[in-house]
Amino acid sequence: MIRKTSLLAGVALALSLAACSPDPESSFARGQEAFAEHDFRAARVALIAGLREKPGNLEMRALLARTQIALGDGEGAAATLERLPAGEMGAPEFATLMGEAEVLRGRYAEAAAAVEGIETAGADRVRALALLAEGKVDDAAKAFAVGEGRDPADPRLLASSARFELARGDIERARMLADRAADVDAASIEARLAQALVARVRDRLPASLAYYDAALKEHPANFEARLGKADLLVVMEKYDDARPLVSGLFEEAPENRDIALLRAKLAARDGEWKQVRDILQAYEADMRDIPQMRLVYGEALLELGNGAQALTLLQPMLRANPGARDLRALIARTQLAVGDAQGALDTIELLAMRPDAQPEELAVAAKAAKAAGSSKATEFQKRSREVTPEWVGGELAKADRALRNRQWESAERSYEAIMAKGASKNALVLNNLAFTKAQLGKKDEALKLALQAVELDPQNASILDTAGWLLVQNGSRDRGVAMLEKAAKLDPDNAAIANRLARAKKS
């Protein structure tokens, strides 16, 4: 991700600090330390101060250029490199840095020219990125492939190639390249970020979070890692963990659109729709390129009674993505709110006719049909109370996926919806809902459900494990240990059950 930062602000800060006249070696050391920690703003300030005293220090100048590139400041990096002595500009290191700066400046022909004749993975990466920006996807793929074959391997090129393959839809190759980058350099921030992105696309959210944590352990100040983690925490419904991270990012980059969207999502979670509108209003001109922002903003407008404005924003999205289920349901609700019952029925009917139609979708369809005078209202209302195998299967898949990804609130909603439709006597549904509620801190409800599951299936090791551990946590140690011992006998090779049993006996 490329972030535009204010070069003027950085220079002004550097000039104010320069008044203290630190020695160049001290500034360089502070710049190196900040760069190693990926605190690029601090590194830039220190290095600019050092170069004011020692403008001929090539090592310091190269590090400043790398810092500016890391900040997405192609103009600043180019200006830094243009002050090199004429004889140094052709050196592969500096030429490659200039190529990266030119890519950031959108000068792709100049980027390719800067690295012409240089046979390194870094130069290959510049060539690939420049070709990709020009829409020459096949040529970019060839440039990445050349770089992948270089010895020694370059983790930055491998990570960029992984992102490229991810964008092309080859998830398995992207995973292989990201893992290879991490094998080359376990501390590479680019490798860890690529692994996090791949894991997220593969719907392995806990693994993605672990990669972000690994990246931040090595580079706690890295902006992209903090932003990626914050976004993932919101997706995983870990709102309390996300809030301080988003707040800190906002203080650092108050004009960043991605941060604005995260703030809006957190406000929407709290039902603060006016705050959502106030946060996103400044980005109306940019929303065409950010569908998620349009969706959140449109819902806020609906909730605030501005349905007509919401439709203007949302309907073009549906024309471009007619299969977007949540979007279709939101537009139908909005059409109902502005009095267009027939339009709402036309919009929602595609969903209502599906065998796996959600009760909420059928409720909107029934309301729209009734308001439009359609005889289908009774049918939709009746179906909203029925249980179909397709709906149960879809809801179970949603619940299990949420459980795997530790999205506890979503899992709870889906399992409870299944139970409300008559599946409350399913032992595994009861067990999984009990586990989910325990993760949400609802220990009393969880224990009640877990014991019901045991009554239905007393020989199931997983069910006994859940109930036994909840009993121990709720103060019924002896009964809990007895259940865990039974679970361990039924599944003697299960290390997780054995571990909980050992912990329970020590409690």
Side-chain angles (χ1 to χ4, degrees):
M1 180 182 299
I2 295 173
R3 281 191 304 129
K4 293 185 178 179
T5 56
S6 172
L7 177 61
L8 185 60
V11 171
L13 181 56
L15 290 174
S16 68
L17 293 178
C20 302
S21 299
D23 66 275
E25 287 73 18
S26 175
S27 294
F28 190 21
R30 285 188 287 108
Q32 288 175 310
E33 182 179 353
F35 185 89
E37 294 175 354
H38 280 224
D39 188 354
F40 299 122
R41 291 169 180 258
R44 181 174 58 185
V45 169
L47 294 168
I48 288 176
L51 282 171
R52 285 177 60 82
E53 300 298 321
K54 270 196 169 182
N57 187 310
L58 299 184
E59 193 177 358
M60 199 184 321
R61 189 165 292 280
L63 186 59
L64 176 58
R66 288 195 191 91
T67 299
Q68 290 164 317
I69 288 167
L71 287 166
D73 181 10
E75 295 292 344
T80 295
L81 293 166
E82 285 166 357
R83 294 187 178 91
L84 286 165
E88 298 291 341
M89 194 58 233
E93 176 190 8
F94 294 127
T96 302
L97 287 173
M98 181 58 85
E100 292 194 56
E102 296 290 23
V103 168
L104 289 174
R105 297 167 83 189
R107 292 159 45 101
Y108 307 119
E110 289 81 355
V115 297
E116 186 175 358
I118 299 176
E119 298 299 323
T120 65
D124 293 330
R125 179 175 175 272
V126 170
R127 279 187 279 269
L129 293 175
L131 289 164
L132 189 58
E134 292 179 330
K136 300 175 181 177
V137 177
D138 292 340
D139 290 338
K142 291 175 184 177
F144 275 127
V146 170
E148 290 167 24
R150 300 282 186 191
D151 187 17
D154 184 335
R156 290 188 72 212
L157 178 131
L158 293 170
S160 294
S161 188
R163 291 181 185 236
F164 170 67
E165 294 296 349
L166 199 60
R168 291 210 296 179
D170 193 339
I171 298 173
E172 183 53 33
R173 178 162 165 72
R175 183 198 63 76
M176 180 272 292
L177 287 164
D179 289 349
R180 186 180 163 204
D183 288 341
V184 171
D185 182 3
S188 166
I189 187 72
E190 290 87 357
R192 292 304 186 198
L193 292 178
Q195 286 181 309
L197 290 172
V198 171
R200 179 163 175 178
V201 170
R202 296 176 74 208
D203 199 30
R204 287 162 168 76
L205 305 188
S208 181
L209 184 59
Y211 286 129
Y212 279 122
D213 285 337
L216 289 168
K217 183 177 180 182
E218 293 287 338
H219 310 288
N222 183 270
F223 187 91
E224 185 179 353
R226 286 183 288 138
L227 181 57
K229 179 179 178 179
D231 184 57
L232 185 62
L233 287 171
V234 171
V235 171
M236 293 180 71
E237 303 170 351
K238 296 180 178 292
Y239 304 108
D240 290 341
D241 293 337
R243 290 182 198 281
L245 192 52
V246 172
S247 179
L249 288 164
F250 175 62
E251 289 182 11
E252 185 175 329
E255 297 179 1
N256 185 289
R257 299 186 306 183
D258 296 318
I259 297 169
L261 179 56
L262 287 177
R263 292 176 61 228
K265 285 181 176 180
L266 290 172
R269 150 76 180 172
D270 297 334
E272 298 290 344
W273 296 109
K274 184 178 182 301
Q275 186 179 352
V276 173
R277 183 193 62 192
D278 292 345
I279 291 169
L280 297 182
Q281 208 163 28
Y283 300 92
E284 281 188 352
D286 302 326
M287 285 186 189
R288 182 178 297 275
D289 303 324
I290 316 173
Q292 275 197 26
M293 185 177 282
R294 291 172 74 181
L295 194 63
V296 176
Y297 190 51
E299 187 170 8
L301 292 173
L302 169 61
E303 295 292 339
L304 293 170
N306 300 319
Q309 188 179 350
L311 285 175
T312 301
L313 193 70
L314 297 173
Q315 283 182 316
M317 293 177 65
L318 188 62
R319 288 193 289 270
N321 301 281
R325 194 163 181 169
D326 290 345
L327 175 61
R328 183 172 290 277
L330 176 60
I331 288 176
R333 285 173 48 211
T334 308
Q335 289 169 316
L336 267 176
V338 298
D340 183 8
Q342 186 60 52
L345 180 58
D346 293 341
T347 298
I348 199 69
E349 194 166 8
L350 286 174
L351 299 181
M353 296 305 294
R354 292 174 55 149
D356 64 342
Q358 299 290 318
E360 298 82 3
E361 294 164 349
L362 289 163
V364 172
K367 186 176 181 181
K370 183 177 180 180
S374 170
S375 60
K376 294 179 181 179
T378 302
E379 175 195 345
F380 292 142
Q381 189 64 47
K382 178 183 176 184
R383 286 186 55 220
S384 69
R385 297 189 294 269
E386 292 176 346
V387 180
T388 65
E390 293 86 358
W391 178 82
V392 172
E395 207 64 30
L396 275 172
K398 281 170 54 181
D400 292 345
R401 184 170 60 250
L403 195 69
R404 184 181 69 246
N405 281 322
R406 302 176 191 173
Q407 296 166 297
W408 309 123
E409 292 183 9
S410 291
E412 181 185 39
R413 281 194 300 272
S414 289
Y415 285 128
E416 286 188 333
I418 293 167
M419 289 179 61
K421 287 262 192 167
S424 59
K425 292 185 179 180
N426 184 296
L428 288 177
V429 170
L430 285 165
N431 176 75
N432 290 353
L433 180 56
F435 179 80
T436 298
K437 285 185 176 291
Q439 301 305 312
L440 290 168
K442 302 175 182 179
K443 296 293 176 65
D444 291 339
E445 291 180 59
L447 179 57
K448 182 179 178 180
L449 291 163
L451 292 175
Q452 289 177 27
V454 171
E455 288 180 13
L456 290 171
D457 192 354
Q459 301 302 313
N460 186 305
S462 295
I463 289 174
L464 288 165
D465 175 38
T466 301
W469 186 243
L470 283 169
L471 282 166
V472 171
Q473 290 182 308
N474 283 37
S476 300
R477 177 185 176 279
D478 292 344
R479 188 182 175 193
V481 167
M483 278 198 186
L484 289 168
E485 286 177 335
K486 183 177 178 180
K489 287 178 182 177
L490 288 168
D491 191 358
D493 296 325
N494 191 312
I497 292 176
N499 178 264
R500 274 186 285 275
L501 175 57
R503 289 166 61 192
K505 286 182 175 179
K506 290 180 181 177
S507 64

